[in-house]
Structure formats: C-alpha cells, structure tokens
Amino acid sequence: MSLKHLRSTSLLLALSVGLLLLVWFTRLNAIQSFPPFVDELVHIFGSEQGYTVSPLANATLGRQGTIWWLMLFQPHRASPFWIARVVTVLAFLPGLAAMIGLARLFAGTPAALFTGLLFLFSSYHMFFGRLALADPISGSVVLVAVWAAARLARRQRLTDALLTGLLLAAAVVAKINVLPYLGIPLAAALTLRAPHHFTWRAQLRWLGVALGSAVGLITAFIFTLRLFGHDFFTNSVSLALTQRGNSPLEVLFDPARILANISVSLGILAAYTGPLALALLLLSLLLLAARRQFYLLLCLIGPTATLWFSQVQESRFFVVPLALLFITAAISLAQIARRPPIRAAVVVLMLLWGAVQWLPFTRLAATQPLQLPLPPEDIYQYLESDASATGYAQAQSFLAAYPVREVVALLANCQAYRYMLLGQYPVLCPRINPNGSSIPDLVTLLEDKRQPGVYAILQAIPYVPQTAPGKLLTIIDRPGDGPDLAIYDLAPDS
C-alpha cells in the first residue's frame, strides 16, 4: 500500500467517523421534545408484549424486526420515548456509513464527504429519524444492502451476494413495506461489472445467490410465523394493494391517482429540503443517466415507483429514496467539481444550506416542536390528529394537583399517556374499536370505576363515549382542529 493511498484511506476514515459522530450528537439533542406518535407506541408496547405475552406478539403488523430491536433495550421499563428514539438513531448509523461508502465507491472521498454533509443537514431525516418508527430502522438495513450489492462493481464474490440477500431479508423482517427493494440484486447484476474476470455466468450465479437467499429467508420467516398462527404478510400488503379489500385492485393503475401521489410526495420533500435543493437533487439523476451510471438510479426509481402505485401514501416512506437522492447528488457534484477550489466552494454552499434550512429546523425541534415547519400533511398527522400525543403533557400537569390513584384514558394513543406516567400512577388503556362497537363496554367501565381518586380522560373522537359520569374538570385544547381532551373526576363527592 502506497503512502498516498494510506493517507487517503486515513482521511476518509477520519471524515466518516466525524460525520457519524456529528449526526449522532445532533440527533440526540432534545430528542424527547416532539410528542409521541401512535406508531412509536405500537413498537414500544409491542416490545413490552414481547416479554409479557410472546416474542411473536403483533407479528401481523409486519414490523417484527423493529419490535425485536426495541426488545433488546427494554424501553418499557424506564424512559420509554427517550430509549426507543435513541436506539432508532443508533440503528440508522450503519445506513449512513453505507451511504458514505457507496459515494466513495463510485466517486471517491469528495463524494463521501458531500453525502455525509447532505444527510447531516437533512431536515427530513432529522424529523423522521428521531421518531421510533420502523422506516428508519428497515431503511438503514436497505442502504447497507445497496452498498453490499454495489461491491459487484469491483468483484464477483458470492459472499457479497449472500450478504446482500441476508440484509434484504432482515430489512423486510423489520418492515415488510420494503419488499420492492428486493430488486436491488437485479439492478446490480444488470448495471455493475467487475473490471477483471467478468462473465455472465458468474453474474447470473451472483444474482441467483442474492435473490435466492433473500426470497428463501423471507418465505421461511413468513411460513414459520404461520405455523404459530401469525400472518406477517397479508395485513400490510393487502392494505397497500386494496385497502384491505375496500378498494378494487384496478385503482392501483389509475393515472390520475398516481400523478397526484407523485405531486404530493414531491411537495412534501420540497417542504423539508427546500424547492431549489430538491430540484438540484432530481437533476443529479439526469447527470448520472447521462454518464450511464444506472445502478443507483434503478435502486431509487423502481421501489419509489411502486410506492406511488400503492394505496397507502405516507411521508415517512421516503427515508431511503431521499437518502439515495443525496448519494446521487454527491456523486454528480464530485464528478463535476474535480478541482480543489470548486470542491471547497461546494462544501461552503452545503454549509450555507445547512445554516438556512436545517439549523432553524433543529432549533425549533428542540425548543418549540409544535411550531416545526412541517408540510400540511405531516402537521395534521403528527400534531393534530388523534394519532398524536399533543395535549397529553398538559393533561399530566393538570392532574398533578389532584390525588390520583388511577386514570382511565379513552385515548387513541393511550399507551403514550401510560408510558408518560410510568411509575407515578396506573393508567388503564381499555380496548377501543374504531368502528364504535366498544362504546357500550366503555360506558360500563366508566361507571364501574366511580371510586375516589379515579379520573378519566376522554378524547373527542367518535368511537369513545362523548361524556363521562362524575364532574368535568377541564377541557384541553389541542393544535389545529385536533380532538380535544376532557378530564373528569369520576367520584367528585367521595
């Protein structure tokens, strides 16, 4: 190894470690400030049930790997939101390392630096990567799989193919929604050729091992769960294809709906990156296509297209597509900016982008999370809807002045309130059916709980009782038109 190569490798290692540490520490800042979202509680409560019920509990949700990851850290025992969110950030660091490695593989150390800076200043990943969701966890594994398959550009080794297959299987176990990324080995086999000893027979063998191991492991996992009475596959896939039978399959191919999905998703991403930055990111796709560098394009375009066909559209589904866009942009910039002064100018521009776009977002996330400049779709879902825990902290503060022995919480996100009060007093989270069929049982429960020191919190949603017995103490307003919270003393005269 030459001295020049050694210095280059040492520089890349130092840059990579520095970027990983910067991302780690910036993501940890005030990580508990944003109100818990219902899917986070699905995962935290699922990890608790993994101990109290069965490790296979909630397998029908299609996110068992995420639940198992949280089980390793037992967030239900103490500081549930902090632990769950921190280990989600931790889970994405390998994905970030893979992003940096991919950029270096295709365009050298400058591209690796550019990729790290783009991700560091990504308001989108700052927001979704700090919530205890399955998307950043499964997305991290997908990105490592993209890197493992990309090694085919340097060598034809079946160990790389096997690693790619294992990673893709692990990603699907973490969240079944990433199934479209099973096309990664095919994208690699079609576009990447090792410079020495390339043969199509070896290429097909590599593809067979990668796809075969991924599909084989996923199939074995699904059928093993079926032996124990759990359907890992149907729930999520049927939701994406037919809204669980409530919509015809033909709707998937409605051009107007697909174009609307594309428009909405681009608007959401532009709200996080800024319109100009998003336009430049998309331009990088054309630059790579002009240079006949198709691997990352296929890894990005194919799965994203299937997402636009899906009947379920969520902002958090773009963790991987936007990460891949950052890599393509970094590669394009590195190929254009070959002179050191131009590269330095690119770094300065990225720092300015971070100061203008990311720094104010980060400050608000730490100090005024309810004022974050999210797109309208995310403001509604993560702050105003019944899936958000906004208002729960106010309810907790209000009840602190009362001699609470127990709280009956008729909330859509009840587990969030239970974990907020962990170790203070019991919070009862009865079963609530969104079709309203559980209302009679909830009315009976409230009557049965009319005892001294028992309080009730009712959310103004149509599938819980509209009032409770006893005395109404206060109504807590929530952001926007979100359903308010009413707090009752169930036995005021006792």
Side-chain angles (χ1 to χ4, degrees):
M1 181 181 294
S2 67
L3 181 61
K4 181 179 179 181
H5 180 74
L6 181 62
R7 287 176 176 172
S8 176
T9 302
S10 300
L11 175 62
L12 175 65
L13 180 61
L15 285 173
S16 301
V17 171
L19 287 167
L20 287 168
L21 289 175
L22 275 173
V23 168
W24 171 251
F25 287 116
T26 56
R27 267 45 172 183
L28 293 188
N29 181 40
I31 197 169
Q32 289 192 92
S33 62
F34 195 80
F37 178 62
V38 68
D39 279 27
E40 296 184 90
L41 277 302
V42 168
H43 302 143
I44 297 171
F45 185 53
S47 69
E48 178 180 356
Q49 290 182 309
Y51 286 98
T52 60
V53 180
S54 164
L56 300 182
N58 300 290
T60 55
L61 296 175
R63 313 172 193 176
Q64 203 61 21
T66 295
I67 291 173
W68 286 342
W69 171 250
L70 293 186
M71 280 182 65
L72 295 176
F73 303 92
Q74 303 183 51
H76 63 279
R77 296 187 179 277
S79 304
F81 308 131
W82 188 87
I83 292 175
R85 289 177 173 181
V86 167
V87 301
T88 301
V89 174
L90 179 65
F92 199 87
L93 292 182
L96 175 56
M99 291 172 62
I100 294 171
L102 277 163
R104 190 221 178 203
L105 178 66
F106 290 113
T109 299
L113 173 62
F114 297 160
T115 297
L117 289 175
L118 286 172
F119 184 85
L120 172 64
F121 298 138
S122 171
S123 298
Y124 176 92
H125 292 97
M126 182 74 181
F127 179 66
F128 287 106
R130 284 155 43 96
L131 301 180
L133 300 172
D135 304 89
I137 294 173
S138 62
S140 177
V141 187
V142 167
L143 289 168
V144 180
V146 175
W147 167 81
R151 289 155 69 93
L152 187 60
R154 299 286 179 87
R155 62 193 194 187
Q156 285 181 319
R157 291 189 182 176
L158 296 184
T159 51
D160 291 338
L162 181 60
L163 177 61
T164 301
L166 292 172
L167 289 166
L168 289 173
V172 171
V173 170
K175 190 174 185 182
I176 198 170
N177 300 50
V178 299
L179 269 174
Y181 288 97
L182 288 178
I184 288 171
L186 181 60
L190 290 175
T191 61
L192 302 178
R193 297 187 182 186
H196 305 293
H197 309 297
F198 171 84
T199 66
W200 278 111
R201 178 175 294 180
Q203 199 85 336
L204 290 173
R205 189 183 304 117
W206 187 98
L207 176 61
V209 171
L211 269 181
S213 57
V215 173
L217 288 169
I218 293 168
T219 303
F221 180 76
I222 291 172
F223 278 97
T224 299
L225 288 186
R226 279 189 175 274
L227 292 176
F228 290 94
H230 300 283
D231 187 350
F232 179 80
F233 182 81
T234 303
N235 182 62
S236 296
V237 174
S238 66
L239 179 64
L241 296 180
T242 65
Q243 291 282 6
R244 298 195 180 105
N246 294 318
S247 179
L249 192 61
E250 297 79 34
V251 173
L252 288 176
F253 307 99
D254 179 6
R257 189 186 65 85
I258 295 169
L259 289 175
N261 288 343
I262 294 172
S263 175
V264 169
S265 62
L266 291 178
I268 289 171
L269 293 179
Y272 286 102
T273 64
L276 177 59
L278 181 62
L280 293 175
L281 291 172
L282 294 174
L283 178 62
S284 70
L285 301 180
L286 298 178
L287 294 176
L288 285 193
R291 293 176 178 269
R292 299 181 179 275
Q293 296 176 299
F294 295 114
Y295 172 61
L296 291 176
L297 298 185
L298 292 179
C299 291
L300 170 61
I301 294 172
T304 305
T306 64
L307 175 59
W308 285 328
F309 274 87
S310 170
Q311 296 202 45
V312 180
Q313 301 293 310
E314 299 286 0
S315 305
R316 58 184 178 270
F317 292 171
F318 291 91
V319 169
V320 174
L322 186 56
L324 291 174
L325 265 180
F326 287 153
I327 301 171
T328 61
I331 292 171
S332 297
L333 283 171
Q335 292 172 342
I336 294 172
R338 295 187 178 277
R339 296 181 180 179
I342 301 177
R343 291 174 180 171
V346 170
V347 172
V348 170
L349 287 174
M350 288 185 179
L351 293 174
L352 289 174
W353 176 63
V356 172
Q357 183 75 20
W358 175 79
L359 198 58
F361 188 95
T362 303
R363 187 181 298 114
L364 285 174
T367 59
Q368 296 177 286
L370 301 188
Q371 303 303 317
L372 279 173
L374 305 177
E377 296 85 353
D378 291 346
I379 289 176
Y380 171 74
Q381 185 170 25
Y382 295 95
L383 290 174
E384 298 178 355
S385 76
D386 59 6
S388 169
T390 49
Y392 290 19
Q394 292 92 317
Q396 178 185 9
S397 298
F398 179 84
L399 285 173
Y402 290 82
V404 180
R405 292 195 303 108
E406 184 180 28
V407 168
V408 180
L410 304 188
L411 307 169
N413 194 0
C414 181
Q415 295 299 332
Y417 192 74
R418 183 172 75 88
Y419 285 121
M420 288 173 67
L421 276 298
L422 199 65
Q424 296 185 34
Y425 50 76
V427 175
L428 180 62
C429 290
R431 181 179 177 273
I432 299 176
N433 196 320
N435 65 15
S437 62
S438 55
I439 289 179
D441 292 336
L442 297 175
V443 171
T444 301
L445 174 66
L446 291 172
E447 287 290 346
D448 293 343
K449 286 291 182 178
R450 299 194 67 180
Q451 303 167 21
V454 180
Y455 296 78
I457 305 176
L458 275 64
Q459 193 167 29
I461 48 181
Y463 40 92
V464 304
Q466 297 305 297
T467 61
K471 180 182 178 181
L472 175 64
L473 299 178
T474 189
I475 294 178
I476 295 174
D477 294 329
R478 296 178 66 251
D481 295 324
D484 297 334
L485 309 178
I487 301 180
Y488 288 83
D489 184 345
L490 294 182
D493 300 324
S494 57

